[in-house]
Amino acid sequence: MQASELLERLPHVDPDVLVIDVGLPDADGRDLCQAVRAQGFTAPIMFLTARDAVPDRLSGFAAGGDDYLTKPFNFAELVARLRALIRRGGTQRVAEVGGLTLDPIRHAIACGGESAEVTPTEFRVFARLVANPGEAVRRRDLIRAAWPEGSMVHDNTLDVYIASIRRKLATLPDAPAIKTIYGVGYSIR
């Protein structure tokens, strides 16, 4: 399928995940990813490519990708990553809680007429909290929602992301707060 054909058909289908090669014959996969996101596609996008340099991976994430797997790859790993993306995909469709809006296209949060951009990982952590407003979300559930399956994520890594999200929320008028539930995890109220 050509990139232009995908863009024409995308509004009429609802895939759970999209896999894009960076080196497409008729387009750059990162440009296609941006165009797909601009159309409102919120499901996860994985880049599958031979380009394995850090700047290539970073540009894939900046274009709106959620995961990046380099060739050659192990098929079992590809399947595991796709399953993890599909599992997390539902959280990216969360739209609003308590006047706070999540924009999965821009990876931004907005409240009171102001907005703040968040990283893809911050967005996934925040979307998981917003999906369960007022409830304590366990640390392990936040980690599962935000990082690929099998990732080695330390507890303090999650704390750093929560602190960053809190700083961004503080810039938004009337934004709900993230509360620490000691011994359990976090909650948004």
Side-chain angles (χ1 to χ4, degrees):
M1 177 183 301
Q2 299 292 319
S4 58
E5 188 179 343
L6 172 66
L7 287 173
E8 289 173 18
R9 295 173 81 187
L10 196 57
H12 308 290
V13 296
D14 189 23
D16 293 324
V17 66
L18 192 59
V19 179
I20 300 175
D21 195 320
V22 172
L24 297 172
D26 63 328
D28 183 300
R30 292 166 293 210
D31 293 337
L32 176 61
C33 180
Q34 288 178 327
V36 165
R37 291 291 190 216
Q39 284 190 0
F41 184 78
T42 60
I45 296 176
M46 171 188 271
F47 285 108
L48 186 62
T49 182
R51 298 180 185 176
D52 63 354
V54 172
D56 289 320
R57 292 191 304 263
L58 293 176
S59 68
F61 291 121
D66 297 288
D67 200 358
Y68 197 104
L69 185 61
T70 58
K71 299 174 189 175
F73 58 88
N74 178 288
F75 188 74
E77 180 182 6
L78 172 64
V79 170
R81 284 175 178 252
L82 289 174
R83 284 184 179 147
L85 287 171
I86 290 169
R87 213 176 30 251
R88 291 193 314 251
T91 63
Q92 290 193 355
R93 297 171 192 210
V94 173
E96 188 173 330
V97 64
L100 182 92
T101 304
L102 284 81
D103 182 347
I105 307 306
R106 290 182 37 239
H107 279 134
I109 53 178
C111 193
E114 298 290 327
S115 68
E117 289 187 13
V118 293
T119 68
T121 303
E122 289 171 342
F123 186 90
R124 290 189 296 267
V125 169
F126 195 66
R128 180 67 176 87
L129 287 169
V130 170
N132 300 286
E135 296 178 20
V137 180
R138 296 191 174 281
R139 297 176 68 83
R140 71 173 178 259
D141 293 335
L142 290 168
I143 290 170
R144 284 182 190 146
W147 284 273
E149 192 171 310
S151 295
M152 296 298 293
V153 180
H154 300 284
D155 280 350
N156 65 337
T157 303
L158 177 61
D159 297 336
V160 169
Y161 277 87
I162 292 290
S164 177
I165 295 167
R166 283 178 169 155
R167 282 192 300 275
K168 292 174 182 182
L169 281 173
T171 67
L172 305 176
D174 303 319
I178 296 175
K179 302 290 183 189
T180 301
I181 311 299
Y182 293 99
V184 178
Y186 297 94
S187 176
I188 188 157
R189 300 172 187 204

